Amino acid sequence: MQVDMAKSDWVNDKCKRGKNEAPLSLSLSLSLSLFLFQSLEWISRFDRLLISCDFFSPPKSQVFFYLFPQQIQCSDKSSLFPTHTYIIIIIMSRSSCHLFLFLFLLLFSLFPFPLLARPFVLVLSQDDLKDVQNDDASPLDSDSSWDDDDFGGTHVKPDDELDPGSWRRLFEPPTTLLSPSHDTSLDSYYAAVQKIISASNNGDARLMEEAAAEIETAANADGDPHARSVLGFLYGMGMMRERNKAKAFLNHYFAAEGGNAQSKMALAYTYSRQDMHEKAVKLYAELAETAVNSFLISKDSPVIEPIRIHNGAEENKEALKKSRGEDDEDFQILEYQAQKGNAGAMYKMGLFYYFGLRGLRRDHSKALMWFLKAVDKGEPRSLELLGEIYARGAGIERNYTKALEWLSLASEHGLYSAYNGMGYLHVKGYGVEKNYTKAKEYFDKAADNEDAGGHYNLGVMYLKGIGVKRDVKIACKCFIVAANAGQPKAFYQLAKMFHTGVGLKKNLPMATALYKLVAERGPWSSLSRWALESYLKGDMGKAFLLYSRMAELGYEIAQSNAAWILDKYGERSMCMGESGACTDAERHQRAHSLWWQASEQGNEHAALLIGDAYYYGRGTVRDYERAAEAYKHAKSQSNAQAMFNLGYMHEHGQGLPFDLHLAKRYYDQALELDPAAKLPVTLALASLWVRKNYADSFLVHIIDSLPEVYPRVEEWVENVIMEEGNATILTLFVCLLTVLYLRERQRRHAIAAAGAHEPNEHVVPAAR
């Protein structure tokens, strides 16, 4: 479901012509009506909400809701669908803010929220829509961050060039032979990285130490920035080196200076965690620009977010089932249909290989083959992707003339997003002469047909004054319309506006958050595909290494995945510590650190586990007060387990004041959120009743001793009963008793049946 205010006629008209604002009664009542009427459907999908509202007094307001899918996968029928991750953009006035917040929070409190939703709520006030004079004094001209091409795709480069030092060569070997003149210094770097991967997968401490020494030599002696990046990763994780955040930061800093994009991501994330937004925003801006240049020029690229391999404490089997690549049964059925000549199946095969969907490795050559076959069968959707392939030279030599031909054919078949590619080629003069008037006509056609890319490209033209009179206000409104429709490039432009103060009031924290959102879609996100592929193959060590590398870059899902592998698989995770395989303490400490980072980014399950770590002293010093803080954080995201834990701590006065009334309130709330908690809540309420009515009695002492007795009983069962020999004997004994019981039961039934058929000798004959 989408509440798409971008489709309102007055909004589109405002974007294209910059006039006729809607009155407050229309915009506000329409927006709130849609929101309240449909909130029952979508509000329960959120688990975290961040609202900030600036109060002001302008007579008019605009309210936009944007639901942004952060992940696209394929259903069992191989179609694309968005998961429950959304962003909302809201612009409101003071008069509506109190009413909105009251109704929103009222509805919001009625529904439980799932674990995996990751909403981001952006509230803009009229103060943010800064008045801008469209003259030559605009900071647009003086700020260097606007010098790049804002249409995206300007300097189309392979992923290896966009992400130098990437491990792609090891996981996705090139199909063509390397040039004899290629840089041989990278050969030794990749050889060392290959040793690290192999050592992590096999738990080979000697090989890991050898690889770490080679990386350190390349970093310190040769000054290789990519080796410095890996060395920073080793110091940050404490792998064959003493865990040292200072040395990790220093190595990432010099690696970033040398052009390593992943170290830039790591530095930006480090700065943002410390609220150093001035430094973080510069790095994220550069990375977001790289990500935007990797997007398609016509239609929107699907958003492929890392898969969460767990659902709380259990494996996320449903998501993993759809990510098994060529081994997936549904994919094999689709491939069979394509081979039999099904045009739709051919198109989907090309789509999967082009974007690397459903756990497949990206293969542009196979994508090109399937798209061409689909076109021969009359599938029009392949026309636009063929235009993209020729424009980018993906799997084939770049040819802008052919790209324009394919895009023109696509537009003739009603694929209006193809007009964006045609307009882009005319703006850049690729394959045709530069013609801004013609480009604007194409963008207008796309926008008239409600294509988000059309609104975005029009916004760029108004922002930079390309073929039209520059008007930053209209550009801003166009970007908001495009953002409401899910155009990721529009978020990049909004981030730049917050960053530079052009069109929107300068707001570095907001700019950092939006830049990060876009930057995480860059080519370095391929780490998640390789990690998932390794996990599905059972290579836990390799999967943990890749998720750990990605966690360092600030990906919340990778942080929780890496921590979950440590907790779930223990020694099988092949975790490498400072001097060999991780000890139990090192595993607990590393998992604690990863869960903590994930909790900072809104993962409620991570916050719950952090609370458990402090409560039980796992990997850290036992601290009931910090445990209570972590549980409160998870409780704020409506976690039933956290509420139960808070009730228990109030009942026993651990880290929280002794308060039986608050304890009962938390227990009741846990049951309201999760009916499955009925048994533990019932037992806890019974304990409260005993404690209240029989304080300091023998029963209370028994209840208080249970937490100490239970671990001993559990240990006895595990060490004595479940010991292999004892367990076998016990099982045989139980089977023997069962057989004897069944035979005795059968004998008694036989005797009873025989007795029912025997004549009764004591019955007196009836009188005649």
Side-chain angles (χ1 to χ4, degrees):
M1 189 280 296
Q2 287 193 356
V3 184
D4 191 0
M5 293 302 297
K7 295 184 178 180
S8 300
D9 292 338
W10 69 269
V11 176
N12 289 336
D13 183 74
K14 174 68 177 176
C15 174
K16 288 189 288 185
R17 290 184 286 275
K19 55 186 179 182
N20 297 330
E21 293 189 8
L24 172 64
S25 59
L26 173 61
S27 63
L28 181 60
S29 61
L30 175 60
S31 302
L32 289 178
S33 297
L34 284 171
F35 171 68
L36 295 175
F37 183 75
Q38 300 191 18
S39 60
L40 294 179
E41 176 183 347
W42 63 269
I43 196 171
S44 63
R45 299 175 181 176
F46 292 87
D47 71 341
R48 176 167 59 95
L49 177 66
L50 171 64
I51 293 185
S52 62
C53 185
D54 294 329
F55 296 99
F56 53 94
S57 57
K60 295 185 178 182
S61 68
Q62 300 168 335
V63 183
F64 298 96
F65 298 95
Y66 166 49
L67 307 184
F68 182 39
Q70 284 289 297
Q71 177 180 356
I72 289 184
Q73 297 178 353
C74 301
S75 67
D76 292 338
K77 297 182 179 180
S78 301
S79 60
L80 299 178
F81 71 95
T83 58
H84 302 160
T85 303
Y86 304 100
I87 292 178
I88 307 177
I89 293 183
I90 309 171
I91 304 176
M92 62 173 62
S93 68
R94 180 177 183 178
S95 60
S96 62
C97 190
H98 286 97
L99 176 62
F100 172 82
L101 290 178
F102 173 75
L103 294 174
F104 187 86
L105 295 175
L106 177 63
L107 286 169
F108 205 74
S109 65
L110 298 178
F111 300 94
F113 310 132
L115 172 70
L116 300 183
R118 292 179 58 213
F120 183 99
V121 179
L122 172 61
V123 180
L124 304 181
S125 70
Q126 285 287 1
D127 290 339
D128 292 315
L129 297 177
K130 190 176 72 173
D131 291 333
V132 177
Q133 299 296 327
N134 298 307
D135 54 26
D136 295 334
S138 172
L140 179 66
D141 295 328
S142 59
D143 198 299
S144 60
S145 66
W146 295 92
D147 291 341
D148 61 282
D149 184 277
D150 295 292
F151 288 97
T154 313
H155 309 291
V156 181
K157 300 178 181 178
D159 286 345
D160 283 334
E161 294 186 33
L162 294 173
D163 183 18
S166 165
W167 299 352
R168 182 170 286 99
R169 182 188 298 184
L170 304 177
F171 289 94
E172 298 177 4
T175 55
T176 58
L177 295 176
L178 295 174
S179 170
S181 61
H182 77 278
D183 189 357
T184 56
S185 64
L186 290 179
D187 291 344
S188 58
Y189 160 74
Y190 280 115
V193 173
Q194 182 63 62
K195 289 182 180 179
I196 291 177
I197 296 171
S198 299
S200 297
N201 198 42
N202 301 320
D204 190 337
R206 184 193 60 79
L207 183 61
M208 176 64 81
E209 176 59 39
E210 179 183 332
E214 292 179 7
I215 286 292
E216 188 166 22
T217 300
N220 296 332
D222 303 334
D224 181 8
H226 310 316
R228 284 190 178 278
S229 179
V230 176
L231 186 60
F233 168 62
L234 296 179
Y235 274 117
M237 296 299 295
M239 297 173 61
M240 309 312 293
R241 294 291 182 272
E242 182 182 359
R243 192 165 183 262
N244 190 317
K245 291 296 183 182
K247 289 185 178 180
F249 176 85
L250 191 64
N251 278 285
H252 280 307
Y253 178 83
F254 286 114
E257 290 290 314
N260 187 278
Q262 294 186 24
S263 282
K264 292 178 183 179
M265 283 286 290
L267 277 181
Y269 175 60
T270 301
Y271 287 139
S272 65
R273 289 187 69 194
Q274 300 175 12
D275 294 330
M276 301 172 66
H277 298 297
E278 291 186 359
K279 293 184 176 181
V281 76
K282 293 179 181 178
L283 289 169
Y284 274 134
E286 181 181 347
L287 294 161
E289 178 187 342
T290 301
V292 167
N293 283 331
S294 69
F295 296 166
L296 303 184
I297 62 174
S298 58
K299 65 185 301 179
D300 294 341
S301 305
V303 184
I304 309 171
E305 190 175 76
I307 300 295
R308 197 181 298 276
I309 62 177
H310 66 98
N311 186 0
E314 301 297 329
E315 188 176 62
N316 192 1
K317 295 181 179 180
E318 188 63 29
L320 296 177
K321 178 183 176 182
K322 298 183 175 71
S323 306
R324 295 190 177 275
E326 295 180 347
D327 295 330
D328 181 39
E329 183 179 349
D330 292 335
F331 175 82
Q332 293 172 358
I333 293 173
L334 181 69
E335 185 178 29
Y336 175 79
Q337 293 174 341
Q339 291 172 348
K340 290 297 183 181
N342 185 303
M346 292 176 178
Y347 167 73
K348 290 177 181 177
M349 289 289 293
L351 204 64
F352 291 166
Y353 278 116
Y354 188 79
F355 293 109
L357 302 177
R358 289 194 78 106
L360 291 173
R361 288 188 177 183
R362 295 178 65 177
D363 191 324
H364 292 154
S365 298
K366 288 185 178 180
L368 177 63
M369 176 193 71
W370 284 115
F371 285 141
L372 289 172
K373 287 185 176 181
V375 167
D376 291 339
K377 291 289 185 178
E379 169 55 62
R381 291 175 295 178
S382 296
L383 297 169
E384 186 175 7
L385 271 303
L386 284 171
E388 290 281 354
I389 286 175
Y390 276 102
R392 292 186 167 275
I396 198 172
E397 185 178 354
R398 179 179 297 170
N399 189 320
Y400 289 119
T401 302
K402 285 190 175 182
L404 183 60
E405 292 175 359
W406 286 116
L407 291 170
S408 300
L409 287 172
S411 65
E412 293 173 4
H413 283 80
L415 297 171
Y416 302 114
S417 57
Y419 285 119
N420 292 310
M422 297 167 66
Y424 167 81
L425 294 176
H426 281 82
V427 165
K428 302 302 299 179
Y430 293 157
V432 293
E433 292 184 4
K434 283 188 177 183
N435 190 327
Y436 296 144
T437 302
K438 195 74 173 176
K440 185 177 182 300
E441 291 178 4
Y442 287 133
F443 295 150
D444 276 327
K445 288 182 180 180
D448 289 340
N449 289 280
E450 299 180 351
D451 180 78
H455 291 292
Y456 169 80
N457 289 321
L458 285 174
V460 173
M461 297 194 80
Y462 279 109
L463 178 68
K464 308 206 60 161
I466 300 175
V468 295
K469 182 180 179 181
R470 188 173 64 189
D471 193 321
V472 178
K473 286 185 177 181
I474 295 180
C476 182
K477 294 180 184 298
C478 288
F479 292 144
I480 291 177
V481 170
N484 274 290
Q487 170 55 256
K489 296 178 186 177
F491 279 93
Y492 173 62
Q493 293 296 344
L494 291 174
K496 291 179 75 172
M497 288 182 164
F498 277 121
H499 182 193
T500 60
V502 174
L504 293 172
K505 187 176 180 180
K506 193 169 184 177
N507 187 331
L508 293 186
M510 188 64 68
T512 301
L514 293 176
Y515 275 141
K516 182 177 186 289
L517 183 73
V518 179
E520 287 185 344
R521 296 184 57 185
W524 37 86
S525 64
S526 296
L527 284 165
S528 66
R529 293 204 314 270
W530 308 330
L532 180 62
E533 179 182 344
S534 300
Y535 179 83
L536 293 174
K537 290 180 177 179
D539 298 334
M540 296 304 162
K542 188 187 297 185
F544 173 70
L545 177 75
L546 293 169
Y547 278 131
S548 297
R549 174 65 165 172
M550 201 173 185
E552 189 183 40
L553 309 187
Y555 288 82
E556 179 272 320
I557 291 182
Q559 292 163 353
S560 65
N561 284 350
W564 188 81
I565 289 176
L566 283 175
D567 287 344
K568 178 72 173 179
Y569 294 97
E571 293 181 359
R572 289 180 56 200
S573 66
M574 301 299 177
C575 167
M576 285 292 172
E578 295 182 1
S579 58
C582 283
T583 63
D584 290 341
E586 285 178 319
R587 273 197 303 273
H588 283 308
Q589 189 277 332
R590 193 170 297 179
H592 178 84
S593 176
L594 289 165
W595 284 126
W596 185 267
Q597 293 175 53
S599 69
E600 289 179 343
Q601 301 195 67
N603 186 313
E604 69 174 66
H605 180 67
L608 181 65
L609 291 178
I610 289 296
D612 290 345
Y614 279 119
Y615 187 88
Y616 295 106
R618 296 172 182 167
T620 185
V621 179
R622 176 174 290 185
D623 190 329
Y624 289 136
E625 292 184 358
R626 298 195 71 175
E629 291 177 3
Y631 289 143
K632 286 180 179 179
H633 180 63
K635 175 256 180 185
S636 67
Q637 300 176 37
S638 301
N639 185 286
Q641 181 66 60
M643 292 181 178
F644 183 91
N645 293 352
L646 288 170
Y648 183 88
M649 296 179 78
H650 271 299
E651 179 185 353
H652 294 83
Q654 296 175 332
L656 292 171
F658 177 80
D659 193 324
L660 298 183
H661 295 287
L662 277 177
K664 184 179 185 304
R665 182 180 302 175
Y666 278 123
Y667 287 145
D668 291 338
Q669 290 178 353
L671 183 58
E672 290 174 5
L673 280 176
D674 188 1
K678 184 174 182 179
L679 177 59
V681 168
T682 301
L683 294 175
L685 292 176
S687 171
L688 279 180
W689 183 85
V690 171
R691 197 178 298 278
K692 181 178 180 181
N693 294 281
Y694 300 96
D696 298 327
S697 68
F698 178 70
L699 290 175
V700 173
H701 291 302
I702 292 178
I703 293 173
D704 290 339
S705 66
L706 288 177
E708 298 179 1
V709 173
Y710 176 76
R712 298 175 185 174
V713 174
E714 185 180 31
E715 183 180 2
W716 180 79
V717 170
E718 182 177 353
N719 296 335
V720 179
I721 301 298
M722 299 309 295
E723 196 272 332
E724 184 176 356
N726 294 340
T728 302
I729 295 173
L730 180 63
T731 302
L732 293 175
F733 181 71
V734 171
C735 292
L736 178 61
L737 290 178
T738 304
V739 171
L740 292 175
Y741 169 76
L742 293 176
R743 291 191 63 180
E744 178 64 19
R745 182 180 178 186
Q746 183 180 15
R747 187 183 66 83
R748 291 181 180 180
H749 285 175
I751 293 174
H757 292 88
E758 291 180 0
N760 193 337
E761 299 177 357
H762 302 287
V763 175
V764 179
R768 293 178 179 241

